[in-house]
Amino acid sequence: MGAVSCILFDLDGTLQDSEKLAMEAQRVGFRSVLKREATEEELNQLKGKPVAKVIGILYPEHGLQIFEHSVRYYDANCESIALYDGVRDMLERLMEAGYPMGIVSSKRKGYVVRELKASGLLSFFDCIVGQEDTEEHKPKPTPLLLAVEKMGVPIEACIYIGDQVTDIRAASAAGMTSGAALWGEGERELLEDGRPDHYFTTPEQLVSHFTRASEVNSAG
């Protein structure tokens, strides 16, 4: 891989702590429609994936109703999602270092934009790819390839940072560098299956890595 000059991020579980809200919304959907609690296995099957599509496959008779109840709960609370510690400073410093940045998320774009506006992060990103922008989703490379096209940069100059193994596999399939974010939902033991190129324990570690690289490239 060549030098990285463009950084793409996943959103949920990577930049913002939205997984708790997403899982609680799904629990509300299960309780409202199926009159029972969702199991951890069921919730894990939905994590990091386009929920409407996956839940419709898992529960063809009730999936739409579960999803609708979940969406109502999520919609009422999504503008209060917290950022992980150090994320805002990381993005500020990466922007100062001259890195163009984008978001590639399995969430619908309207929610991505709304949540980034609420947290004050929207202006950091030159490109946003959401669920409805592609037919295929992570771990397929299609959303990342669309982001690269929109950003106008070579694939080999990009890195994708995410907290799920599907993020790492999508980056590898796209032919770009992959980075595992371990400060949020990411668990090293699970992410190792995707063989990421880099592990970042904190946002500070990530920004130090790329600001050093930027200084070296400038000096060269």
Side-chain angles (χ1 to χ4, degrees):
M1 294 283 184
V4 167
S5 60
C6 174
I7 303 175
L8 302 174
F9 289 96
D10 174 50
L11 179 62
D12 296 324
T14 300
L15 300 184
Q16 62 178 22
D17 190 8
S18 49
E19 294 295 346
K20 293 184 185 70
L21 176 59
M23 292 180 83
E24 183 55 33
Q26 288 152 21
R27 288 190 179 100
V28 167
F30 273 78
R31 288 187 208 118
S32 301
V33 179
L34 300 182
K35 310 303 181 187
R36 66 168 176 84
E37 293 295 325
T39 66
E40 289 303 310
E41 182 181 355
E42 287 170 324
L43 294 173
N44 286 333
Q45 285 181 293
L46 300 173
K47 187 182 287 188
K49 300 184 179 73
V51 175
K53 184 175 182 179
V54 176
I55 206 165
I57 294 169
L58 294 175
Y59 305 97
E61 291 185 16
H62 303 290
L64 180 58
Q65 289 175 283
I66 295 171
F67 181 69
E68 287 173 347
H69 281 272
S70 299
V71 165
R72 281 199 289 272
Y73 183 87
Y74 188 93
D75 193 64
N77 294 280
C78 70
E79 292 185 15
S80 61
I81 295 170
L83 301 177
Y84 290 113
D85 290 343
V87 162
R88 188 182 306 278
D89 180 66
M90 174 186 72
L91 296 175
E92 288 173 352
R93 290 172 63 189
L94 290 173
M95 178 176 275
E96 287 169 6
Y99 285 99
M101 293 180 284
I103 292 283
V104 179
S105 174
S106 296
K107 176 179 283 179
R108 293 190 69 81
K109 185 185 278 186
Y111 278 111
V112 175
V113 172
R114 183 177 163 189
E115 291 164 23
L116 290 174
K117 279 183 179 177
S119 62
L121 296 189
L122 186 61
S123 62
F124 287 107
F125 302 106
D126 302 308
C127 165
I128 293 172
V129 172
Q131 179 189 133
E132 65 270 45
D133 289 320
T134 58
E135 290 287 330
E136 295 183 321
H137 306 288
K138 300 178 291 185
K140 298 287 189 181
T142 313
L144 290 173
L145 295 175
L146 177 60
V148 167
E149 181 183 332
K150 288 176 176 287
M151 298 287 279
V153 293
I155 290 173
E156 61 272 15
C158 289
I159 186 170
Y160 185 50
I161 311 290
D163 66 296
Q164 298 292 315
V165 72
T166 49
D167 299 323
I168 305 306
R169 288 177 176 152
S172 298
M176 65 177 65
T177 304
S178 59
L182 301 180
W183 59 77
E185 291 293 317
E187 297 179 30
R188 188 175 185 122
E189 296 77 14
L190 299 177
L191 287 163
E192 282 175 347
D193 285 344
R195 299 184 178 178
D197 297 300
H198 301 281
Y199 292 94
F200 300 109
T201 305
T202 65
E204 172 62 32
Q205 184 189 10
L206 184 149
V207 77
S208 295
H209 175 88
F210 286 109
T211 51
R212 281 199 307 271
S214 177
E215 289 165 4
V216 169
N217 292 338
S218 297

